[in-house]
Amino acid sequence: MAWIWMLLAAAAVLLWAVSLGRVLSSSSPSCLPPNPPFLSSRRGGRMSRNVLLVLAHPDDESMFFTPTILFLKSKGHTIHILCMSQGNADGLGNIRKEELYLACATLKISAEHVKVLDHPKLQDGFHEKWDHGLLAELTMAQAQLWDIDTIVTFDSHGISGHPNHSDVHHGICNLLRDNGQGHIEAWGLVSLNIFRKYSGPVDIWLSSFILSLRSKQPFHTLVNNSPSRSFEAMAAHKSQWVWFRRLFVLFSSYTYINVLQKI
C-alpha cells in the first residue's frame, strides 16, 4: 500500500512541475483562449483601456488579482485601484493603507492611481453589511473622475467567501444596472472550489475547459508568467505576511492564473 501513496505523491509533484513549466513558458503574461485576447476591442476610439480594479481590503490586489494586473500592464492599459476600506478590522487600517501603496509600487501602479476609502458605513468585518447602492455611488464617482471604461472586481461568491467581497460585486452590479451598462463594461474574478483554489498552477489545465462547458458569459484565463511578482507584492503587506498567507500565495491558483468572466 505504501508504494501506491509514493506513486501518487510522485505523480502530483510531476504534475505540479509540468504545470508550473507551462505557466513560466511564456515570455510575457498571456491570455487563454488567445483569440480574441482580453480587452482587445477599442473603447471610445482608443486601443488602451482605463481599468478600475475595485477591492474590498488592502492586499486583495496582491493575493487575488496579480495575474490580471500584470497582464493589463503588459498590454499598455492604465490601471486604477479603488479600495473600499482600509482593512481596519484589527485596528491596523492606517498601516494597511500604506502597505497597499507599497504593493502597488511593486506592481508599477502609481500612487496617483490608487484611492483608499474609509467610509463609516464601509468598515472591514465579516459581520459588516455594506450598502450596495452606496458602493455603486462611490465607484461611479471615481470612475467618472478617472474616465474609466472597464471595471474588474470579485464575482458574487467573493473568492474567499468574505461578505465584503461579495458586497463589492453586488455594488458593481447596481452600478451597471443603474447606468444601463453604458460605456462601462465589468469583469468578475471567478471563485473556484477548494480543490482548484489550492491546486496552484495545475488549474491552468482545468479553467478554460470547465468554463467552456458551462459558461454562457464571455470569459478569459490570464496566466501570470512571473509568479514571484505575486510574492513580492504580497510581501509589501508586512502586517499580513504571516506563515499561513505565505503558504496561501504558494499554493493558491490565484497566484498563477485569473479566470475572468463578464458581469
Side-chain angles (χ1 to χ4, degrees):
M1 181 63 70
W3 69 269
I4 296 178
W5 288 108
M6 292 177 63
L7 185 61
L8 289 174
V13 170
L14 179 60
L15 179 59
W16 180 284
V18 171
S19 302
L20 183 59
R22 171 67 180 84
V23 167
L24 299 176
S25 63
S26 177
S27 59
S28 62
S30 58
C31 175
L32 300 173
N35 291 306
F38 182 52
L39 301 188
S40 59
S41 60
R42 290 179 177 270
R43 297 284 288 184
R46 59 174 184 252
M47 284 298 294
S48 63
R49 302 286 190 98
N50 282 332
V51 181
L52 180 62
L53 179 58
V54 185
L55 311 173
H57 318 109
D59 80 12
D60 290 343
E61 82 299 330
S62 303
M63 191 173 294
F64 305 119
F65 289 95
T66 301
T68 297
I69 292 172
L70 296 180
F71 177 83
L72 294 174
K73 293 289 289 185
S74 74
K75 300 303 179 184
H77 301 298
T78 302
I79 301 176
H80 302 78
I81 289 181
L82 174 61
C83 188
M84 289 296 181
S85 80
Q86 292 186 347
N88 197 40
D90 297 320
L92 299 174
N94 290 330
I95 293 173
R96 296 191 66 187
K97 176 181 178 180
E98 294 306 315
E99 290 172 344
L100 174 58
Y101 286 113
L102 292 174
C104 287
T106 299
L107 297 169
K108 309 301 182 186
I109 301 173
S110 67
E112 292 78 12
H113 291 170
V114 180
K115 178 73 172 180
V116 184
L117 303 181
D118 186 26
H119 196 285
K121 294 184 178 180
L122 301 176
Q123 293 299 302
D124 177 19
F126 272 91
H127 303 292
E128 296 288 338
K129 175 64 177 176
W130 288 4
D131 182 84
H132 301 165
L134 177 61
L135 289 165
E137 178 184 335
L138 294 172
T139 302
M140 178 54 74
Q142 208 61 39
Q144 292 174 338
L145 180 65
W146 281 331
D147 192 24
I148 297 299
D149 50 52
T150 307
I151 291 174
V152 177
T153 191
F154 301 97
D155 71 356
S156 60
H157 299 290
I159 309 303
S160 64
H162 198 300
N164 297 164
H165 296 179
S166 299
D167 284 336
V168 169
H169 168 83
H170 291 298
I172 299 304
C173 290
N174 275 23
L175 181 153
L176 297 175
R177 184 188 67 243
D178 294 345
N179 291 274
Q181 300 197 21
H183 68 288
I184 297 178
E185 67 177 78
W187 295 78
L189 180 60
V190 174
S191 297
L192 306 175
N193 63 47
I194 193 166
F195 170 76
R196 292 178 61 198
K197 184 176 181 178
Y198 294 108
S199 63
V202 176
D203 195 60
I204 191 173
W205 311 108
L206 301 173
S207 292
S208 296
F209 174 72
I210 292 175
L211 284 177
S212 68
L213 296 179
R214 69 184 187 186
S215 176
K216 296 181 180 180
Q217 288 282 71
F219 71 92
H220 293 278
T221 300
L222 306 182
V223 182
N224 177 9
N225 72 315
S226 183
S228 62
R229 297 285 300 279
S230 296
F231 284 86
E232 293 170 7
M234 191 61 208
H237 295 275
K238 292 183 178 180
S239 68
Q240 308 300 302
W241 196 223
V242 293
W243 68 269
F244 60 86
R245 283 199 172 90
R246 298 184 188 208
L247 287 177
F248 176 88
V249 174
L250 175 62
F251 289 103
S252 170
S253 61
Y254 295 104
T255 298
Y256 306 92
I257 66 168
N258 278 172
V259 180
L260 296 178
Q261 188 168 9
K262 197 166 187 180
I263 298 174

